[in-house]
Amino acid sequence: MMNVNRYVLSRSVQFGQQLVSRSGRHVGKEAARLQQRRSIKTHCRNLAYAKDLFLGQVNKAEVFPYPEIGNEEVEELNQLVAPVEKFFSEEVDSAKIDREAKIPEETLNGLKELGLFGIMVPEEYGGLGLSNTVYARLAEITSLDGSIAVTLAAHQAIGLKGILIAGNEAQKQKYLPKLASGEHIAAFCLTEPGSGSDAASITTRATLSEDGKHYLINGSKFWISNGAMADVMTVFARTEVVVDGVKRDKISAFIVERAFGGVTSGKPEDKLGIRGSNTCEVSFDNVPVPVENVIGEVGGGFKVAMNILNSGRFSMGSSSAGMIKKLIELTAEYAATRKQFNKSLGEFGMIQEKFALMSINAFVMESMAYLTAGMMDRPGLPDCSLEAAMVKVFSSEGGWICTSEALQILGGLGYTKNYPYERYVRDCRILPIFEGTNEILRMYIALTGMQYAGKVLTGKIKEMKKGNIGMALGMVGKKLRASFGSSADLGLTGKDGVVHPSLEQSAKKFEQNVDHFGSTVESLLYRYGKTLVDEQLILKRVADVLINLYAMTAVLSRSSRSISIGLRNHDHEVLLANTFCSDAFFKNNYWMTQLQKHSPENNDANIKKIARAVLEERAYVCSHPLERTF
C-alpha cells in the first residue's frame, strides 16, 4: 500500500504579500507585507471523510460548512491576485512560448519578481508563506499558460517540497531563500527509463564514501521537468541500509546541487503540449553529495517521495477550473455572435449542452479543490491524500473533455493555430499522465479505502464474536433495511440538517448512493478478500463511485454555504449542483449494479478476453470485411 501524506502547512501562517506595480515593462520592486493572520473558519480534526464513505457513513462535521476565509483576507487576496492577472494578461505571450518551446528570460524574471517561485515557502525563508487555499487561487491564473504552470509546479509543488516538508532546519536555511526568490530553480528527480509508475523499482544508486562524509550518486532520471535549468534537485536513489543486522536496499532522498559536478542534462524533449516547459533526461556520474544533504532518514526516501506527490495534486482542480472558465468566456462570445441557419450558435441545443458541460465541470472542480485546500489548511497534520487524488483524477479528465468541446464549438477555426484552442487541447493531454497516472491513482483511491473498510469490518466481527450484541444488532439491522429498500437518512437534511432545503433532493440521492456504496464495499470484501488487489476493473468502478461521491459532497456543501450567506448568483450554483448530483446519482447506481455478483451489466470477462486475444496476436484480430473464403 502506498504511503499517505502526513504533512500539511499550518493555516496559521503570516499572510505575506508582494504587491508589484507595473507600467508597461517597468517592474517596481517595492514590496509591502500585510501581517493579517489567516482566518479560515474550520477546526482541527483528524480527517477520514473519504475513507468513511467506504463504510456507508457521512462524517458531516468534516465537510460542512464549506471552508471560507475572512473578509479582510478576501480583500488582501484580491490585492495579491490583481498584479498576477495583469502580468499574465499583458506580459505573457503564450503563442510565442508554445511556438519557440521556451519561456523567455524576461517572463521568468517577471514571475520571480511577483514572488511566484516561493508562494508556499514560509516568510522566514524568503517566501510569501501563503496557504494551500491561496496557492489554489493563484493556480487558476498561472494555468492560463500550461508551460508556465508546469514550470512553477515542478519548482515548488514537487521540486523544493521535500526540503519544505521533510528537511531539517539547516537545509531549509541553506536552500529555501534562493529557491523562494527564483535565483535557484528546483527539480524533482524520481522517474527513470525503467521505472515510471513503479517508483519503488528505481536503480539509481548512492554509495557512501569510505570516509563516510558523502555519497556518490550514479544513474539517470527521465522526464524531469526543469531538468536543464535546475540548480537544486531532489534526487531519489537506492542506498544500502542495515535493518536488524541485515543489509538491505532502500530508497533515500538527497538534495543535489548542479554545482557539485557530474550532473548533465540531455536534449529537451519535443513534446505534444506544454512545449515551453523544459523536460529532459538528467544523468548523475559519481556526483558527490554531502551526507548532511540527505532529506529525512537514510532509507526513508520512498515515504518522502509519496508525501511530496500526495500533497500537491489538489491544485489541479483550481488550475483546470481556471482554464475552463477562460475557455467559456472565449467560446461564449463566438457562439453568441456566429450565425448559422439564421440563428446564433448559442441557440442550438447541442451547443448549449457543451456550455452546460463546461460550466458544470468548472463548478465541480472548483468545489472539490477549495474544499480539499480548506481541509489541508487546518491545524495539525490532516491526511488529505485520498481527497487530493480524487480532485486530480476528476479535474484532469474533465479538463481534457472540456478543452475538446470548446474547440468543437469553434469548428475548423478551433483547429488552427490562429486561436488558442488547439494549444489548450495539447497542453491538457498531459494532465491524466503526470503527478501519478489516473490509472495508478484510481488503484490508490480504491485500495486505500477498501483497506480502511476491511480493518473496521474485521474489528466489528471480532466484537460480535466476543458477544457484543449491540454491534451484531446494528449490522443485522443495516442489512435488513437494505434488503427492504428503505431510504437512507444520514442526517444531511431535516431538523439538524446541514444542506439547504433547495438541495434536499440532491442530498437524498447522495445519501442513497453512500448507503448503497457501503453495502457494495462490504460485499466486495467478503467476495474477493485479499485477491481484490488484482481486480483492477472492479477497483476502477469503486474509485469512480467514490470520486463522484466526493464531488457531490463538495457541490452540496459549497452551494449550501452560498445560499446561506446570500452569495451573488447562488441560484445558479444550486442549478449546477442539482444537475450534477442527478447525473452522478444514476452513474453511481449503474456502476454499483455492475459490481454485484453475476451482474448481466458487467462485461469484464469479455473485455479481458478481447484484450488477451489482441495482445497475443500483437495486432487487431478480425479479418478484413472485404476478405472472402471462396
Side-chain angles (χ1 to χ4, degrees):
M1 185 64 62
M2 293 173 69
N3 290 282
V4 295
N5 176 34
R6 287 288 175 188
Y7 177 84
V8 67
L9 290 177
S10 167
R11 71 178 177 89
S12 300
V13 296
Q14 293 291 326
F15 190 74
Q17 187 175 19
Q18 291 185 351
L19 298 178
V20 180
S21 58
R22 291 181 174 273
S23 175
R25 290 195 173 273
H26 174 70
V27 180
K29 296 186 178 180
E30 292 294 326
R33 294 200 178 275
L34 299 171
Q35 299 298 327
Q36 176 68 28
R37 281 189 175 273
R38 305 204 70 241
S39 53
I40 286 187
K41 298 178 181 177
T42 57
H43 304 286
C44 182
R45 300 166 182 146
N46 291 320
L47 291 167
Y49 178 76
K51 293 177 183 177
D52 280 343
L53 293 174
F54 282 84
L55 302 172
Q57 298 173 1
V58 175
N59 197 339
K60 295 186 296 182
E62 302 293 357
V63 290
F64 292 94
Y66 195 78
E68 59 181 17
I69 57 179
N71 289 331
E72 289 186 19
E73 191 185 0
V74 170
E75 185 177 341
E76 291 165 357
L77 176 60
N78 290 336
Q79 289 177 326
L80 179 64
V81 163
V84 179
E85 287 184 327
K86 187 173 188 294
F87 178 80
F88 272 79
S89 174
E90 298 178 2
E91 307 287 342
V92 175
D93 186 344
S94 294
K96 180 181 178 183
I97 291 172
D98 180 70
R99 184 173 59 253
E100 297 182 359
K102 185 179 180 181
I103 302 172
E105 199 63 36
E106 59 268 24
T107 303
L108 286 172
N109 289 335
L111 296 169
K112 294 172 184 178
E113 289 166 0
L114 283 167
L116 296 182
F117 278 81
I119 295 174
M120 294 180 71
V121 175
E123 287 185 283
E124 58 263 37
Y125 304 115
L128 295 180
L130 303 180
S131 65
N132 291 286
T133 298
V134 179
Y135 178 75
R137 177 64 185 91
L138 292 175
E140 289 188 45
I141 308 168
T142 59
S143 69
L144 298 181
D145 186 283
S147 297
I148 291 177
V150 169
T151 300
L152 291 173
H155 170 76
Q156 61 193 328
I158 54 177
L160 62 77
K161 184 62 75 72
I163 302 172
L164 196 61
I165 67 175
N168 58 42
E169 186 59 28
Q171 291 169 345
K172 291 177 182 179
Q173 292 282 358
K174 180 178 180 180
Y175 290 106
L176 288 181
K178 288 186 178 181
L179 289 169
S181 68
E183 181 180 345
H184 284 174
I185 305 297
F188 179 82
C189 300
L190 176 63
T191 303
E192 297 182 2
S195 67
S197 295
D198 184 9
S201 67
I202 64 171
T203 58
T204 296
R205 178 163 290 280
T207 307
L208 188 63
S209 62
E210 291 184 4
D211 59 11
K213 292 183 178 181
H214 61 265
Y215 285 89
L216 290 176
I217 296 183
N218 287 279
S220 63
K221 300 292 182 177
F222 216 41
W223 309 121
I224 305 305
S225 295
N226 297 349
M229 55 198 293
D231 306 282
V232 178
M233 291 157 267
T234 301
V235 180
F236 297 87
R238 291 198 167 279
T239 50
E240 192 176 83
V241 180
V242 178
V243 181
D244 297 328
V246 180
K247 290 182 180 180
R248 293 184 181 177
D249 261 1
K250 282 185 161 295
I251 296 172
S252 297
F254 299 88
I255 303 170
V256 178
E257 299 179 34
R258 187 178 293 274
F260 288 162
V263 180
T264 55
S265 301
K267 181 182 176 183
E269 298 291 342
D270 189 8
K271 305 186 297 292
L272 171 72
I274 54 169
R275 292 177 52 76
S277 65
N278 174 263
T279 308
C280 67
E281 184 174 4
V282 180
S283 299
F284 304 89
D285 184 12
N286 282 329
V287 179
V289 180
V291 292
E292 55 266 28
N293 276 33
V294 174
I295 301 176
E297 297 178 356
V298 175
F302 184 78
K303 182 178 180 180
V304 172
M306 293 305 104
N307 287 346
I308 291 169
L309 293 170
N310 287 338
S311 65
R313 295 184 177 113
F314 78 96
S315 64
M316 198 173 290
S318 60
S319 298
S320 297
M323 176 186 61
I324 294 167
K325 286 190 285 186
K326 181 64 175 180
L327 288 173
I328 288 173
E329 290 179 16
L330 295 172
T331 51
E333 176 65 25
Y334 180 80
T337 55
R338 170 72 167 169
K339 296 274 188 180
Q340 289 290 284
F341 307 105
N342 296 319
K343 287 184 178 181
S344 66
L345 287 186
E347 294 180 72
F348 293 99
M350 282 190 278
I351 299 298
Q352 292 172 349
E353 183 183 37
K354 297 182 191 304
F355 281 104
L357 175 72
M358 289 190 288
S359 297
I360 290 170
N361 269 279
F363 179 68
V364 177
M365 291 171 193
E366 266 186 338
S367 303
M368 295 173 77
Y370 287 103
L371 176 60
T372 306
M375 289 178 171
M376 294 173 69
D377 281 330
R378 291 171 183 166
L381 303 174
D383 171 19
C384 301
S385 58
L386 209 57
E387 287 81 1
M390 290 190 285
V391 175
K392 192 270 184 183
V393 173
F394 184 94
S395 302
S396 60
E397 293 179 358
W400 169 244
I401 291 168
C402 289
T403 52
S404 179
E405 292 288 29
L407 187 152
Q408 187 70 17
I409 292 170
L410 270 287
L413 290 178
Y415 200 68
T416 69
K417 288 187 178 290
N418 297 325
Y419 295 86
Y421 304 96
E422 59 85 29
R423 186 181 74 247
Y424 277 115
V425 170
R426 288 187 286 106
D427 285 351
C428 234
R429 188 58 189 89
I430 191 62
L431 299 183
I433 298 173
F434 71 179
E435 291 197 33
T437 68
N438 285 7
E439 289 76 18
I440 289 292
L441 290 182
R442 279 188 166 91
M443 290 286 287
Y444 171 62
I445 291 165
L447 287 173
T448 300
M450 297 294 273
Q451 183 186 51
Y452 175 79
K455 287 180 180 178
V456 173
L457 291 171
T458 300
K460 288 183 176 181
I461 292 170
K462 287 180 179 178
E463 286 295 315
M464 288 168 57
K465 288 180 178 179
K466 291 177 183 178
N468 189 328
I469 302 300
M471 184 76 71
L473 290 175
M475 294 185 74
V476 171
K478 182 179 178 181
K479 288 185 178 295
L480 285 173
R481 288 193 299 273
S483 64
F484 285 113
S486 59
S487 59
D489 183 0
L490 302 179
L492 267 66
T493 60
K495 182 181 178 182
D496 298 318
V498 289
V499 174
H500 192 272
S502 61
L503 296 157
E504 183 175 355
Q505 290 305 310
S506 291
K508 290 294 184 186
K509 289 174 180 176
F510 170 71
E511 288 178 325
Q512 289 180 40
N513 271 175
V514 171
D515 188 62
H516 189 188
F517 184 59
S519 301
T520 301
V521 166
E522 187 176 342
S523 174
L524 291 172
L525 286 169
Y526 284 130
R527 193 193 321 167
Y528 291 101
K530 292 181 179 180
T531 65
L532 187 60
V533 70
D534 298 317
E535 297 293 337
Q536 288 202 357
L537 298 183
I538 295 291
L539 294 170
K540 178 179 183 291
R541 293 187 186 90
V542 169
D544 286 340
V545 173
L546 187 73
I547 292 167
N548 265 351
L549 291 178
Y550 186 56
M552 293 168 83
T553 300
V555 299
L556 289 170
S557 181
R558 174 185 175 179
S559 300
S560 293
R561 169 190 173 270
S562 297
I563 301 167
S564 298
I565 66 174
L567 203 61
R568 181 173 53 91
N569 295 332
H570 63 257
D571 55 333
H572 191 68
E573 289 191 29
V574 172
L575 176 62
L576 291 170
N578 283 331
T579 304
F580 174 76
C581 287
S582 178
D583 188 44
F585 173 71
F586 290 110
K587 285 181 179 177
N588 286 343
N589 282 336
Y590 179 67
W591 288 329
M592 286 187 281
T593 298
Q594 288 183 310
L595 290 172
Q596 293 175 6
K597 195 172 185 179
H598 306 307
S599 170
E601 290 84 1
N602 189 312
N603 271 326
D604 288 359
N606 286 346
I607 288 170
K608 292 177 181 178
K609 194 173 182 180
I610 292 167
R612 279 195 298 268
V614 170
L615 292 170
E616 285 173 6
E617 294 291 328
R618 303 288 199 275
Y620 176 66
V621 176
C622 298
S623 301
H624 193 279
L626 299 182
E627 286 188 19
R628 294 179 56 139
T629 55
F630 59 91

